[in-house]
Amino acid sequence: MCKSNLHEFLAALPKCEHHLHLEGSLSPELLFKLASSNEVALPSPIFDPSFASPQALHERYQHFTSLNDFLHYYFIGMSVLLTAADFESLAYEYFARAHTDGVHHAEVFFDPQAHTSRGVAYATVVEGFRIAQRRAETDFGITSKLILCFLRHLSETAADVTFQEADALGHFSDGTLAGIGLDSSEVGFPPEIFREVYISAHEKGIRRTAHAGEEGSSSYISKALDICKVERIDHGIRLAEDKALMKRVAQEKVLLTVCPLSNVRLRCVTAVKELPIREFLDNGVQFSLNSDDPAYFGGYILDNYCAVQEAFELSLQEWRGIAEASIKGSWCDEDRKMALMEKVGLCMAKYEAAAEGL
């Protein structure tokens, strides 16, 4: 539990999560379980002691030196995911945890190229995730959207092949997928490399987001907006370095999907208090708070809310603004947004009344 006196409120506040990699929610316990059942050989503990046990892997995850160091373990973890049931287990485990943290709507990433390159069919991946989504809505009332991400360390041609497969199956038009994203190593792989596939998506009316301004400069953000025509920016913490761009992002109400604990774990900052949360609030930048790859970074969404509160001591009204911005920036329909707004309003009324009574 966090040390803030607002912890009970933060736990109760209805949340939307927009920056969650399903593969990044693969707990070491599930990783070892699936490796055993699927007869997948993990690295020998002789060469990497991290794989001696789930506990040892948890410990290693606390000492990433960079984004690429994390990605090394991230892609090893993916190797145990082979069947639709594996992907269902992975996603459902996330939704169950998200429910305990107060998530009511989630828009989650997945990396099909990381699976098809291993011989796992795209359809197998999506089938498992869709089953988990339906179960989560039935069991927890969580609505969710899938966002297909391209791996930016691979070519634009490879991204287009994946895009065309999903589009040919009607997955963008029938609601299976909500949109496209761009992730993996940022520096050295600027957004404009993927211009053509993003323009194709734009012309088809498909929603678009991209990781930008995490380790890369603010120019990655402006290029994602101007060249790739994205509607959201994932991470975006380097935005504060460009005041003119920050003013534009605020005016255009572009949502940033910020991941505080991830930024600390990957050494983008040394502490949550160094993030430009206060600057974003003071300049009208809309953002949501998210967990990114929680199994690897030691914190799910409520942990991120608590970390921000401990660092910045936000008011109830500032939290209302964050919650409402999260809803407005979501890709669900207007009816769902209205229902979520009502839930936030009821929560705020309860805790504002309690605060007035103190």
Side-chain angles (χ1 to χ4, degrees), residues 257-277:
T257 67
V258 179
C259 306
L261 294 178
S262 164
N263 295 150
V264 174
R265 188 61 65 89
L266 295 183
R267 314 288 181 94
C268 298
V269 294
T270 60
V272 172
K273 66 182 179 181
E274 297 173 12
L275 292 169
I277 298 295

Side-chain angles (χ1 to χ4, degrees), residues 138-152:
T138 298
D139 295 348
F140 310 125
I142 295 178
T143 52
S144 60
K145 302 286 185 182
L146 277 179
I147 299 172
L148 183 158
C149 280
F150 306 121
L151 297 174
R152 66 200 311 157

Side-chain angles (χ1 to χ4, degrees), residues 161-330:
V161 168
T162 299
F163 175 74
Q164 294 299 337
E165 179 177 4
D167 192 36
L169 290 170
H171 283 179
F172 293 109
S173 58
D174 68 8
T176 298
L177 303 178
I180 61 171
L182 184 65
D183 62 12
S184 189
S185 304
E186 182 180 9
V187 175
F189 303 96
E192 61 266 30
I193 293 174
F194 299 90
R195 176 185 180 278
E196 293 303 322
V197 69
Y198 268 83
I199 293 303
S200 294
H202 176 59
E203 291 174 347
K204 292 174 179 289
I206 296 167
R207 310 303 294 259
R208 303 162 308 284
T209 187
H211 286 45
E214 177 187 14
E215 291 189 324
S217 70
S218 60
S219 68
Y220 281 63
I221 299 173
S222 58
K223 290 176 179 178
L225 292 168
D226 295 333
I227 298 175
C228 294
K229 309 297 182 185
V230 301
E231 302 164 84
R232 288 202 308 230
I233 293 291
D234 302 315
H235 288 298
I237 58 173
R238 302 287 294 276
L239 176 67
E241 298 171 5
D242 186 330
K243 303 306 179 185
L245 182 59
M246 183 160 62
K247 182 178 180 180
R248 172 193 169 186
V249 166
Q251 290 176 337
E252 295 180 3
K253 300 187 186 310
V254 176
L255 185 78
L256 306 186
T257 67
V258 179
C259 306
L261 294 178
S262 164
N263 295 150
V264 174
R265 188 61 65 89
L266 295 183
R267 314 288 181 94
C268 298
V269 294
T270 60
V272 172
K273 66 182 179 181
E274 297 173 12
L275 292 169
I277 298 295
R278 175 55 60 191
E279 289 179 75
F280 289 165
L281 289 169
D282 291 346
N283 287 277
V285 175
Q286 298 192 0
F287 62 90
S288 62
L289 297 173
N290 309 271
S291 60
D292 201 359
D293 300 278
Y296 293 85
F297 300 148
Y300 284 77
I301 191 167
L302 180 56
D303 300 308
N304 280 271
Y305 274 55
C306 290
V308 166
Q309 181 59 21
E310 290 178 1
F312 297 99
E313 299 183 346
L314 304 185
S315 67
L316 288 176
Q317 285 305 309
E318 286 172 326
W319 279 111
R320 177 195 281 270
I322 292 169
E324 291 182 346
S326 298
I327 296 169
K328 292 174 184 176
S330 294

Side-chain angles (χ1 to χ4, degrees), residues 23-45:
E23 293 92 345
S25 67
L26 179 62
S27 66
E29 291 77 13
L30 183 58
L31 188 158
F32 273 76
K33 177 183 176 181
L34 293 179
S36 176
S37 62
N38 289 333
E39 299 182 343
V40 174
L42 295 174
S44 169

